Amino acid sequence: MPAALVALAMTVPLFYLVIRAAGASPAAWSWLLRLQTLQIMGQSIGLALAVMLSAVIIGLPTAWLVTRTNLPGKTLWAALLPLPLVIPSYVSAYLFVSLFAPRGLLQNLLEGWLGIERLPSIYGFWGAWLVLTLMTYPYVFLAVRAGLIRTDRSLEEAARSLGYSVWKTFWKVTLSQLRPALAASSLLVGLYVLRDFGAVSILRFTTFTRAIYLQYQSSIDRSAAALLSLVLVLITIGFLVGEQRIRRSSAEQPYTAVHPAPPVDLGHWRVAAIVIIIGVLLGALILPAGVLFYWLVRGLAAGEQLSGWLRPLTGSLTASGLAAVITVIAALPASLLSVRRPGFFSQLIEKWSYLGYAVPGVVIALSLVFLGANYLPLMYQTLFMLLLAYVILFLPQAVGNLQAVLRQVQPSLEEAAASLGHSPLRVFQRITLPLVMPGASAAAALVFLTAMKELPATLLLAPTGFSTLATQVWGAVSEAYFARAALPALILILVSSISILLINHHTSDEGSAQRT
């Protein structure tokens, strides 16, 4: 019943879209058959697939390096690699544009030194691919690292004893155990790209989200935008089906019998591994943070006032903290049902929970405005509506992480506790909950980080007078006041960084306790 209630809440955006689409004019329906619409569809799917592939290429080896090898400083790298999640995509896109665009900071610097008058354009597909890859690979990194902490290393040792090399053991044994985590995290990356608005708009690459937004802005009749949103939902269903097929072969392979094993000796590859990790951090974290710091210093030199950030910080912490707790609690019934009681109904609820993540935040916000204005006037422009939007938007992040961990918890442990006379609630409290706590913590961290930088839903649903760091940053950045946006952006990064460092530390402690 709780899982069904959560699924019912996820139908609110679809309810709104169906009402709008039902009243669409013939001209709006004919708009879907235009060549431009097919081109937008191809660009959206192509960008999502490209970012998914590149996120796996970065996230998988970096997670393996910091978890299973003798890489120097791997505790530090494990703490730093997830930090790009704290940078909003629209902020990162603006920073890359200000740095690499024609007449940007880099070109001005090179023109003075080397006489280079123009750099290749960062706008378009490749710019959007680069920014979104650097912002989303931590989804794969966190999920794979959590899976590596809990996978049974005795299988890898058995493969090595049979003569397998380190690399062949990784491809044949380790990777097969990580397939559920890879499938879930890759799906999150793909859905993130499908619904991203800020980065693709700034980098001038048209996807469904940008087209939907332009339709809402330029037309009084919102039926065409609703039809485009429904097409985006169908594309999401296709991604969900593909993810299900990828992980189906390993969905019923729980691994919890974990014991310590000596780390893999990188040997002469150690320097190359460090160079790769530093290169990833340079593009994803160091450059954006450095450019933000540059704008902060430039703003201070120009007399910019360092005030007005405490109230947005309080609003961000309140809304994001509540959203993280509520979303994880809401995701737990659906995750348990789909893993422990697989069937048509449970799979339907599981997949239904992902649909809200693919609908653009502006559509979800407008659907809740429609709901509040017409059916729940007492809830209109309250924190409740904003939190409901956050739950609909970010529920897949919690579901994906919880499912990946639950599949690694052997049902025999719970069955043994039940056979000793413990009630189901007691079994969950003493056995299941401690084992899934690392995954629940990672899920809460992802929801908190994403809610901290969420923009469209916050702009449309926040109560009167309620502001967050994200809205303050966007208000300044959208008007090209980079110096004014620098301080709240850096505060946003700092607060989110502290939270993810704490979660990483907690995850490592839980993994050590489980191995013990």
Side-chain angles (χ1 to χ4, degrees), residues 19-86:
I19 290 178
R20 286 292 185 185
S25 62
W29 283 100
S30 64
W31 201 91
L32 292 179
L33 303 178
R34 296 171 56 186
L35 180 62
Q36 181 181 3
T37 304
L38 298 178
Q39 182 180 2
I40 293 173
M41 182 184 301
Q43 291 178 170
S44 300
I45 297 175
L47 180 62
L49 292 176
V51 174
M52 289 170 65
L53 177 61
S54 53
V56 171
I57 292 175
I58 295 176
L60 176 61
T62 52
W64 183 78
L65 285 172
V66 302
T67 307
R68 292 295 182 84
T69 70
N70 63 344
L71 181 72
K74 59 183 181 181
T75 302
L76 175 63
W77 305 130
L80 292 177
L81 283 168
L83 292 186
L85 281 176
V86 307

Side-chain angles (χ1 to χ4, degrees), residues 304-329:
E304 192 73 37
Q305 297 296 320
L306 298 181
S307 60
W309 55 269
L310 183 58
R311 186 176 179 183
L313 173 61
T314 303
S316 294
L317 293 176
T318 301
S320 302
L322 290 173
V325 175
I326 296 172
T327 304
V328 171
I329 294 175

Side-chain angles (χ1 to χ4, degrees), residues 97 121-125 128 198-207 210:
V97 166
S121 176
I122 193 176
Y123 297 105
F125 173 84
V200 295
S201 297
I202 296 167
L203 293 163
R204 304 174 189 175
F205 185 73
T206 301
T207 60
R210 189 183 183 198

